[in-house]
Amino acid sequence: EGVGRSAARCVGVAKCRVEGPSSGPGVMCPSYRATGEEKHSTRGRARLLHEMALGEVITDGWRSEEVREALDLCLSCKGCRSDCPVGVDMAAYKAEFLDRHYAGPGGLWRRPRSHWTMGRLPGWLAHFGRGLNAAMRLPFAARLAGVTPERTMPRVAERSFAYWFAQRASTRPSSLTLWPDTFTNFLAPEVGEAAVRVLEDAGLGVDLPPGRVCCGLTYVSTGQLGAARKVMRRTLDVRGEAEGPVVVLEPSCAATLRTDLPELLPDDPRAARLAGAVRTFAEALEELAPDWTPPRLDRPVTGQTHCHQHAVLGDTADRRLRERAGLRGDLAGGCCGLAGDFGFEPGHYEVSVTIAEDQLLPALRTSGGATILADGFSCRTQIGDLTDLRGRHLAEVLAEGLEEGLDSGPRSSAS
Ligand code: SF4
Ligand code: SF4
């Protein structure tokens, strides 16, 4: 009912039905632009949810297959949350719908397999680590995991970021907590290592949380809200009464901590505290090391602004940091089309590629050797899957500049 009432806020002006390719910085609504079908637009979905709540045309409520199908191509990109004039938040409604759709007797078995594999990825990685690489090489592994055969599963790294961090000695007093999100920790530890390199060059002391933490993103996006709340509460227990900024390198995890965490645990004051402590990498450098000058890289860049960065976090601090580092050019807007588990699920590949064609792939085709920036693990995976190029996190590019000995350090008084 809450979802139906919220969806009823849609006033039908149809900003979400801008036909592609989109212009301007907005994200909403990639699945409509890819399909051109009303039912795959934010408005189409909002209407169906409203009808479900009224119970006149759609009479089977949360069990409705019609609603489930309409939500199936929603990427949970959160574009509508920021771009729709009345803030229809389809990603949140989809999570709630899936949670209720699969609730009750037999619900567990009705879920797509990808909810158990991709949706619970943080747990699998924490328990099996690199063992998953061998498992994914087995025949039919992708099918068993509910992953579309056009995709290859990302490889788990040799050593996790947290392991690397624990092996090194640092005597600096801590100025911030660096969040070892699942993607950085297990799949792209080089991003975490680069971030430590840059943050320390800026004079900041880095700490990791004292135990295993997870924002709950994959549980939320697959509508496993009970499990999501459990994971979030455990994370809050680990953080305890710790204070100070929490730097999150993966935009979708930062967005989950800022929005979904306090929304799913409204009665836990620790949730709002953690949400308020979250900083992106660029925000942290700007706020905590205002006198630091980034290495002068002086080169053109292109790439992908993560859809959650656009919708929740904002990219003004990133733009300023890029400018100060001499990284010229704009990144593509919109959505990369992979969007976490979405692009891996059977039946989504074609739409995923069509969405990448909206802005990302044209930008890469004309990149002419520019450095490719993509802070999101999904965006980097999409770039690697669909082109010969490699996207990198801004932290990696800055760290490389430091290794090359390009100028950095305290800002001179003249600047
Ligand atoms: S979902 Fe938002 S942008 Fe789309 S028609 Fe409704 S109010 Fe307008
Ligand atoms: S979350 Fe993204 S894909 Fe889903 S309705 Fe909103 S804009 Fe469209």
Coordinates of all heavy atoms in Angstrom, one line a residue, residues 12-63:
G12 N 2.3 12.2 -14.3 CA 2.2 11.9 -15.7 C 2.7 12.9 -16.7 O 2.4 12.8 -17.9
V13 N 3.6 13.8 -16.3 CA 4.2 14.8 -17.2 C 5.1 14.1 -18.2 O 5.4 14.6 -19.2 CB 4.9 15.9 -16.4 CG1 5.3 17.1 -17.3 CG2 4.1 16.4 -15.2
A14 N 5.6 12.9 -17.8 CA 6.4 12.1 -18.7 C 7.8 12.6 -19.0 O 8.3 12.4 -20.1 CB 5.6 11.8 -20.0
K15 N 8.4 13.2 -18.0 CA 9.8 13.5 -18.2 C 10.6 12.2 -18.3 O 11.7 12.2 -18.9 CB 10.3 14.3 -16.9 CG 11.5 15.2 -17.2 CD 12.0 15.9 -16.0 CE 13.4 16.3 -16.1 NZ 14.1 16.5 -14.8
C16 N 10.0 11.1 -17.8 CA 10.7 9.8 -17.9 C 10.6 9.2 -19.2 O 11.1 8.2 -19.5 CB 10.1 8.9 -16.8 SG 8.3 8.8 -16.9
R17 N 9.8 9.9 -20.1 CA 9.7 9.2 -21.5 C 10.4 10.0 -22.5 O 10.0 10.1 -23.7 CB 8.2 9.1 -21.8 CG 7.5 8.1 -20.9 CD 6.0 8.0 -21.2 NE 5.7 7.0 -22.3 CZ 5.4 7.3 -23.5 NH1 5.4 8.6 -23.9 NH2 5.1 6.4 -24.4
V18 N 11.6 10.6 -22.1 CA 12.4 11.2 -23.1 C 13.1 10.1 -23.9 O 13.7 9.2 -23.4 CB 13.6 12.0 -22.4 CG1 14.6 12.5 -23.4 CG2 13.0 13.1 -21.6
E19 N 12.8 10.2 -25.2 CA 13.3 9.1 -26.1 C 14.8 9.3 -26.4 O 15.3 10.4 -26.5 CB 12.5 9.0 -27.3 CG 11.1 8.7 -26.9 CD 10.2 8.2 -28.0 OE1 10.8 7.6 -29.0 OE2 9.0 8.3 -28.0
G20 N 15.5 8.1 -26.4 CA 17.0 8.2 -26.6 C 17.5 8.5 -27.9 O 16.7 8.6 -28.9
P21 N 18.8 8.8 -28.1 CA 19.7 8.9 -27.0 C 19.5 10.2 -26.2 O 19.1 11.2 -26.8 CB 21.1 8.9 -27.7 CG 20.8 9.3 -29.1 CD 19.4 8.9 -29.4
S22 N 19.7 10.1 -24.9 CA 19.3 11.2 -24.1 C 20.3 12.3 -24.2 O 21.5 12.1 -24.6 CB 19.3 10.8 -22.6 OG 20.6 10.5 -22.2
S23 N 19.9 13.5 -24.0 CA 20.9 14.6 -23.9 C 20.9 15.2 -22.5 O 19.9 15.0 -21.8 CB 20.4 15.7 -24.9 OG 19.1 16.1 -24.6
G24 N 21.9 15.9 -22.2 CA 22.0 16.4 -20.8 C 22.4 15.4 -19.8 O 22.6 14.2 -20.2
P25 N 22.5 15.8 -18.6 CA 23.1 15.0 -17.6 C 22.2 14.0 -16.9 O 22.6 13.2 -16.1 CB 23.6 16.0 -16.5 CG 22.6 17.1 -16.7 CD 22.1 17.1 -18.1
G26 N 20.9 13.9 -17.3 CA 19.9 13.1 -16.6 C 20.2 11.6 -16.8 O 20.8 11.2 -17.8
V27 N 19.6 10.8 -15.9 CA 19.7 9.3 -16.1 C 18.4 8.7 -16.5 O 18.3 7.8 -17.3 CB 20.2 8.7 -14.7 CG1 20.1 7.2 -14.7 CG2 21.7 9.1 -14.5
M28 N 17.3 9.2 -15.9 CA 16.0 8.6 -16.1 C 15.5 8.6 -17.6 O 15.7 9.7 -18.2 CB 15.0 9.4 -15.2 CG 13.5 9.0 -15.4 SD 12.4 10.0 -14.3 CE 12.5 11.6 -15.1
C29 N 14.9 7.7 -18.1 CA 14.8 6.3 -17.6 C 15.4 5.4 -18.7 O 14.9 5.2 -19.8 CB 13.3 5.9 -17.4 SG 13.0 4.2 -17.1
P30 N 16.5 4.8 -18.3 CA 17.3 4.0 -19.3 C 16.5 2.8 -19.9 O 16.6 2.6 -21.1 CB 18.5 3.5 -18.6 CG 18.2 3.7 -17.1 CD 17.2 4.8 -17.0
S31 N 15.6 2.2 -19.2 CA 14.9 1.0 -19.8 C 13.9 1.5 -20.7 O 13.6 0.8 -21.7 CB 14.4 0.1 -18.7 OG 13.5 0.8 -17.8
Y32 N 13.3 2.7 -20.5 CA 12.3 3.2 -21.5 C 13.1 3.6 -22.7 O 12.6 3.3 -23.9 CB 11.6 4.4 -20.9 CG 10.7 5.0 -22.0 CD1 9.6 4.3 -22.5 CD2 11.1 6.2 -22.6 CE1 8.8 4.8 -23.5 CE2 10.3 6.7 -23.7 CZ 9.2 6.0 -24.1 OH 8.5 6.5 -25.2
R33 N 14.2 4.2 -22.6 CA 14.9 4.7 -23.8 C 15.4 3.5 -24.6 O 15.5 3.5 -25.8 CB 16.1 5.6 -23.4 CG 15.7 7.0 -23.1 CD 16.8 8.0 -23.4 NE 17.9 7.7 -22.5 CZ 18.0 8.2 -21.3 NH1 17.1 8.9 -20.8 NH2 19.1 7.9 -20.5
A34 N 15.7 2.4 -23.9 CA 16.2 1.2 -24.7 C 15.0 0.5 -25.4 O 15.2 -0.1 -26.4 CB 16.9 0.2 -23.7
T35 N 13.8 0.5 -24.8 CA 12.7 -0.3 -25.3 C 11.7 0.5 -26.0 O 11.0 0.0 -26.9 CB 12.0 -1.1 -24.2 OG1 11.4 -0.1 -23.3 CG2 12.9 -2.0 -23.4
G36 N 11.6 1.8 -25.6 CA 10.5 2.6 -26.2 C 9.1 2.2 -25.8 O 8.1 2.7 -26.4
E37 N 9.0 1.4 -24.8 CA 7.7 0.9 -24.4 C 7.2 1.6 -23.1 O 8.0 1.6 -22.1 CB 7.7 -0.6 -24.2 CG 7.8 -1.4 -25.5 CD 7.8 -2.9 -25.2 OE1 6.9 -3.3 -24.4 OE2 8.6 -3.6 -25.8
E38 N 6.0 2.1 -23.1 CA 5.4 2.7 -21.9 C 5.6 1.8 -20.6 O 5.9 2.3 -19.6 CB 4.0 3.1 -22.1 CG 3.1 3.5 -20.9 CD 3.4 4.9 -20.5 OE1 4.0 5.7 -21.2 OE2 3.0 5.2 -19.3
K39 N 5.3 0.6 -20.8 CA 5.3 -0.3 -19.6 C 6.7 -0.4 -19.0 O 6.9 -0.7 -17.8 CB 4.7 -1.7 -19.8 CG 5.6 -2.6 -20.6 CD 5.0 -4.0 -20.5 CE 5.8 -5.0 -21.4 NZ 5.4 -6.3 -21.3
H40 N 7.8 0.0 -19.8 CA 9.1 -0.1 -19.2 C 9.6 1.4 -18.9 O 10.8 1.6 -18.8 CB 10.1 -0.7 -20.2 CG 9.8 -2.2 -20.4 ND1 9.7 -3.1 -19.4 CD2 9.5 -2.9 -21.5 CE1 9.3 -4.3 -19.9 NE2 9.2 -4.2 -21.2
S41 N 8.7 2.3 -18.8 CA 9.0 3.6 -18.3 C 8.7 3.8 -16.8 O 7.9 3.0 -16.3 CB 8.2 4.7 -19.1 OG 6.9 4.7 -18.7
T42 N 9.3 4.8 -16.2 CA 8.9 5.0 -14.8 C 7.4 5.2 -14.6 O 6.8 4.7 -13.7 CB 9.7 6.3 -14.3 OG1 11.0 6.2 -14.8 CG2 9.7 6.4 -12.8
R43 N 6.8 6.0 -15.5 CA 5.4 6.3 -15.4 C 4.6 5.0 -15.6 O 3.6 4.8 -14.8 CB 5.0 7.3 -16.5 CG 3.5 7.6 -16.5 CD 3.2 8.7 -17.4 NE 3.1 8.2 -18.8 CZ 2.7 8.9 -19.9 NH1 2.4 10.2 -19.7 NH2 2.7 8.4 -21.1
G44 N 4.9 4.2 -16.6 CA 4.2 2.9 -16.8 C 4.2 2.1 -15.5 O 3.2 1.5 -15.1
R45 N 5.4 2.0 -14.9 CA 5.5 1.2 -13.7 C 4.8 1.8 -12.5 O 4.1 1.1 -11.7 CB 7.0 1.0 -13.3 CG 7.8 0.3 -14.4 CD 9.3 0.2 -14.0 NE 10.0 -0.5 -15.0 CZ 11.0 -0.1 -15.8 NH1 11.5 1.1 -15.6 NH2 11.5 -0.9 -16.7
A46 N 4.8 3.1 -12.4 CA 4.1 3.8 -11.3 C 2.6 3.5 -11.4 O 2.0 3.3 -10.4 CB 4.5 5.3 -11.3
R47 N 2.1 3.6 -12.7 CA 0.7 3.4 -12.9 C 0.3 2.0 -12.4 O -0.7 1.8 -11.8 CB 0.3 3.6 -14.3 CG 0.3 5.1 -14.6 CD -0.6 5.4 -15.8 NE -0.6 6.8 -16.0 CZ -0.6 7.5 -17.1 NH1 -0.6 6.8 -18.2 NH2 -0.7 8.8 -17.1
L48 N 1.1 1.0 -12.9 CA 0.8 -0.4 -12.5 C 0.8 -0.6 -11.0 O -0.1 -1.3 -10.5 CB 1.8 -1.3 -13.2 CG 1.5 -1.9 -14.6 CD1 2.5 -2.9 -15.0 CD2 0.1 -2.5 -14.7
L49 N 1.8 0.0 -10.4 CA 1.8 -0.2 -8.9 C 0.6 0.5 -8.2 O 0.1 -0.1 -7.3 CB 3.1 0.4 -8.4 CG 4.4 -0.4 -8.6 CD1 5.7 0.4 -8.3 CD2 4.4 -1.7 -7.8
H50 N 0.2 1.6 -8.8 CA -0.9 2.3 -8.2 C -2.2 1.4 -8.4 O -3.0 1.2 -7.5 CB -1.1 3.6 -8.9 CG -2.2 4.5 -8.4 ND1 -2.4 4.7 -7.1 CD2 -3.2 5.1 -9.0 CE1 -3.5 5.4 -6.9 NE2 -4.0 5.7 -8.1
E51 N -2.3 0.8 -9.6 CA -3.5 0.0 -9.9 C -3.4 -1.3 -9.0 O -4.5 -1.7 -8.5 CB -3.5 -0.5 -11.4 CG -4.1 0.6 -12.2 CD -4.0 0.3 -13.7 OE1 -3.6 -0.9 -14.1 OE2 -4.3 1.2 -14.5
M52 N -2.2 -1.8 -8.8 CA -2.1 -2.9 -7.8 C -2.6 -2.6 -6.5 O -3.4 -3.3 -5.8 CB -0.6 -3.3 -7.8 CG -0.4 -4.5 -6.9 SD 1.4 -4.7 -6.6 CE 1.6 -3.7 -5.2
A53 N -2.3 -1.3 -6.0 CA -2.8 -0.9 -4.7 C -4.3 -0.7 -4.7 O -4.9 -1.0 -3.7 CB -2.0 0.4 -4.3
L54 N -4.9 -0.2 -5.8 CA -6.3 0.0 -5.8 C -7.0 -1.4 -5.8 O -8.2 -1.5 -5.3 CB -6.7 0.8 -7.1 CG -6.3 2.2 -7.1 CD1 -6.7 2.9 -8.4 CD2 -6.8 3.0 -5.9
G55 N -6.4 -2.4 -6.5 CA -7.0 -3.7 -6.5 C -8.2 -3.9 -7.4 O -8.9 -4.9 -7.3
E56 N -8.4 -3.0 -8.3 CA -9.6 -3.1 -9.2 C -9.2 -3.9 -10.5 O -9.8 -4.8 -10.9 CB -10.2 -1.8 -9.5 CG -11.0 -1.2 -8.3 CD -11.2 0.3 -8.4 OE1 -11.0 0.8 -9.5 OE2 -11.6 0.8 -7.3
V57 N -8.2 -3.3 -11.2 CA -7.8 -4.0 -12.4 C -6.8 -5.1 -12.2 O -6.9 -6.2 -12.7 CB -7.1 -2.9 -13.4 CG1 -6.7 -3.5 -14.7 CG2 -8.1 -1.7 -13.6
I58 N -5.8 -4.8 -11.3 CA -4.9 -5.9 -10.9 C -5.4 -6.4 -9.6 O -5.4 -5.7 -8.6 CB -3.4 -5.3 -10.8 CG1 -3.0 -4.8 -12.2 CG2 -2.5 -6.3 -10.3 CD1 -1.7 -4.1 -12.2
T59 N -5.8 -7.6 -9.6 CA -6.5 -8.1 -8.4 C -5.7 -9.1 -7.6 O -6.1 -9.5 -6.5 CB -7.8 -8.9 -8.8 OG1 -7.4 -9.8 -9.8 CG2 -8.8 -7.9 -9.4
D60 N -4.5 -9.4 -8.1 CA -3.7 -10.4 -7.2 C -2.6 -9.7 -6.4 O -1.6 -10.4 -6.0 CB -3.2 -11.6 -8.1 CG -2.5 -11.1 -9.4 OD1 -2.5 -9.9 -9.7 OD2 -2.0 -11.9 -10.1
G61 N -2.7 -8.4 -6.3 CA -1.8 -7.7 -5.3 C -0.3 -8.0 -5.6 O 0.2 -8.0 -6.7
W62 N 0.4 -8.2 -4.4 CA 1.8 -8.4 -4.5 C 2.2 -9.6 -5.3 O 3.4 -9.7 -5.7 CB 2.4 -8.5 -3.1 CG 2.2 -7.3 -2.2 CD1 1.3 -7.2 -1.2 CD2 2.9 -6.1 -2.3 NE1 1.4 -5.9 -0.6 CE2 2.3 -5.2 -1.3 CE3 3.9 -5.6 -3.1 CZ2 2.8 -3.9 -1.1 CZ3 4.3 -4.3 -3.0 CH2 3.8 -3.5 -2.0
R63 N 1.3 -10.5 -5.5 CA 1.6 -11.7 -6.3 C 1.6 -11.5 -7.8 O 1.9 -12.3 -8.6 CB 0.6 -12.8 -6.0 CG 0.9 -13.6 -4.7 CD 2.2 -14.4 -4.9 NE 2.6 -14.9 -3.6 CZ 2.3 -16.1 -3.2 NH1 1.5 -16.9 -3.9 NH2 2.7 -16.6 -2.1

